[in-house]
Every structure is written in structure tokens, then in C-alpha cells.
Amino acid sequence: MTEWQDKAAAFRALHEDGVLVLPNAWDAGSAVAVAQAGAAAVATSSAGVSWSLGRPDGHGVRGADMVEAVRRIAGAVRVPVTADVEGGYEDVAATVRGVVDAGAVGVNLEDSTSRTELRTSAAQADLIRTARAAGAAELWINARTDVYLLGIGEPESRFDEVVSRGRAYADAGADSFFVPGLLDLEVLAALTAAVPLPVNALAGPGAPTIAELGAVGVRRVSLGSAVSKAVFGLVHRAVREVLAEGTYGALAGGSDYDVVNGLFDRS
């Protein structure tokens, strides 16, 4: 087997038992920090990558820019990497081939086209089929629906819509189902029982614990942009404080220089 196939097999195996926790990185340095902290795999954050390139989230970068960011991230760590490629950018097949060539063994594909609209279930299923045909058979496809995240449709209709999409995406070849914006444990329990795919939840401050999510059948938990938001928030607070007050309180608690420098292998 090739190194890529070994990582793809290892990543697939991580979904077999318990809950796979995926902290999200946005550049090579943050990926190293995530891996060195003990993560079994690294996910990328499309928001974090976009912000690191000085662009907004939501298809604010080109597919080629995201591929190059994934290449740097995958090249910096030994653990499997899965790439958030939003809705596939200009050409989903080219994007998927690009991130696979860059070293990613998984992709996220979302069904939102804006902050207010989703592709139809059938159109998103076609996108998943295109991604499956473009990538190796071992590529893990995490199909994301933004019904709950964006509040699409009437509240009482959202669960049935999400179940319908989950089943359609499974039929199209997805390996797991990502439903950001849904953290109600009772609803998650019903969802994990209703769809034939491992369910991925998006967590962060205020969310149920990993143990609580696992207890209702969630098999994968991502942090999304939460870590990058915390970092960018710290930068903003620290700079505003030093410029306005001339003090440095926001910088307290940072890691020692040698600790950070020691994360990076010179070989």
C-alpha cells in the first residue's frame, strides 16, 4: 500500500469505535500543534484557512488556494488529514483531485450556496457522486447539510428534511453526515437512529461534552472554526489592549517560547 492508502485506512478505522474528535487547523503550524497535542487526525477549517489568507469565509478563496493550504497542512503532520472544501469551489472534481494529490484522505462537502440557500438534495447528491468519482475509493466523504446551521425552512420541518438529505447523501456515496447547528441531544439521538451514516456534530463553547454526544450515537465531533476564532480573537484583544492601554494582560497564559518552538521538528 502507498503512504496515502495507509493514512486513508487509518482514518477510516478511526470511525469504527467511539467518537472521533477532530480539532480543526488552518495552516501548517496550527496543524502541528493539533497533532502534537495528541489528535489522531487533523481536519482543516475552511474559515480558518480563508482568514489566514486574508479572505472571508464562504467561498472567499479559490479552489487552488485551498488545495495549496491543504498541501502545506498535510505535509507538516504524520497523522491523517481531512480537508474542508466547502461546496467544491469552481470545479468539485478538480478540487477533490487536488486535495487528494496534496495528501488529504477525506473531504467535507457542504450543501449551502450562500447564507440563505441550499442546493437541492438531488443536486448535492450529484455533487457527492462527482466527488466520489474524482477521488480514490478510499477517500472519506463527509457530507454536510446546513439546514440547522442556517435555519432553513420552518423549525418543525427541519428534522425530516435533514433525515431525507442524510439518506440521499448516503445513497450517493457519502461516508458520514455532518449536521452543524444541531446540538440538541434528544434530536441528535433521533437523527443517529434515522440515517445510515455516522453522524458528525459541530461543537464548541456551550456544547454538550464529547461523552454526552457519544452517548446519543454521535460518532464524530469537529471544532470547526472555534479554535481559529479563539486565536484571532486573542490577537485582536491583545493588540487593542496594548494600543489603547499600553498593557499586556491579554497575552498572559501564552505558551513558553521553548515549548512552542519545540513543537516543530527540524529534521
Side-chain angles (χ1 to χ4, degrees):
M1 295 178 72
T2 67
E3 180 182 359
W4 186 92
Q5 288 172 319
D6 286 342
K7 286 184 176 179
F11 188 63
R12 189 164 292 274
L14 290 171
H15 293 81
E16 292 175 0
D17 295 302
V19 180
L20 171 59
V21 180
L22 283 170
N24 299 71
W26 56 94
D27 60 13
S30 60
V32 170
V34 166
Q36 291 280 31
V42 174
T44 70
S45 161
S46 64
V49 170
S50 298
W51 298 335
S52 75
L53 296 175
R55 301 293 300 167
D57 185 30
H59 291 82
V61 299
R62 299 176 305 145
D65 296 325
M66 191 60 71
V67 168
E68 285 311 304
V70 171
R71 191 180 306 280
R72 290 190 291 272
I73 289 168
V77 296
R78 295 184 175 89
V79 298
V81 170
T82 182
D84 181 354
V85 296
E86 300 188 78
Y89 305 108
E90 306 89 352
D91 182 335
V92 66
T95 298
V96 169
R97 287 193 295 267
V99 295
V100 168
D101 180 70
V105 298
V107 293
N108 276 19
L109 273 177
E110 63 194 45
D111 56 15
S112 56
T113 58
S114 71
R115 296 297 299 174
T116 58
E117 294 183 350
L118 305 184
R119 290 185 186 88
T120 65
S121 179
Q124 184 66 13
D126 285 342
L127 199 74
I128 292 167
R129 291 187 188 95
T130 299
R132 173 59 67 204
E138 300 94 336
L139 180 71
W140 187 279
I141 297 178
N142 191 36
R144 167 176 154 172
T145 185
D146 286 346
V147 170
Y148 280 102
L149 183 67
L150 302 182
I152 302 296
E154 296 301 318
E156 61 272 15
S157 71
R158 288 174 192 157
F159 179 79
D160 288 343
E161 176 65 18
V162 167
V163 169
S164 175
R165 285 178 179 264
R167 291 171 177 170
Y169 300 169
D171 289 343
D175 296 291
S176 55
F177 188 42
F178 188 18
V179 191
L182 175 59
L183 286 169
D184 182 296
L185 293 174
E186 184 176 346
V187 179
L188 278 169
L191 180 64
T192 61
V195 297
L197 293 173
V199 170
N200 186 163
L202 178 67
T209 66
I210 301 297
E212 289 170 331
L213 291 167
V216 296
V218 171
R219 300 290 299 281
R220 171 166 154 162
V221 176
S222 304
L223 298 184
S225 61
V227 179
S228 53
K229 285 190 296 186
V231 171
F232 279 100
L234 172 60
V235 171
H236 190 69
R237 290 193 304 275
V239 173
R240 283 179 61 89
E241 178 190 351
V242 73
L243 292 177
E245 309 294 337
T247 56
Y248 322 101
L251 294 172
S255 295
D256 181 78
Y257 171 88
D258 288 333
V259 171
V260 175
N261 202 47
L263 295 175
F264 302 100
D265 186 355
R266 296 180 186 275
S267 61

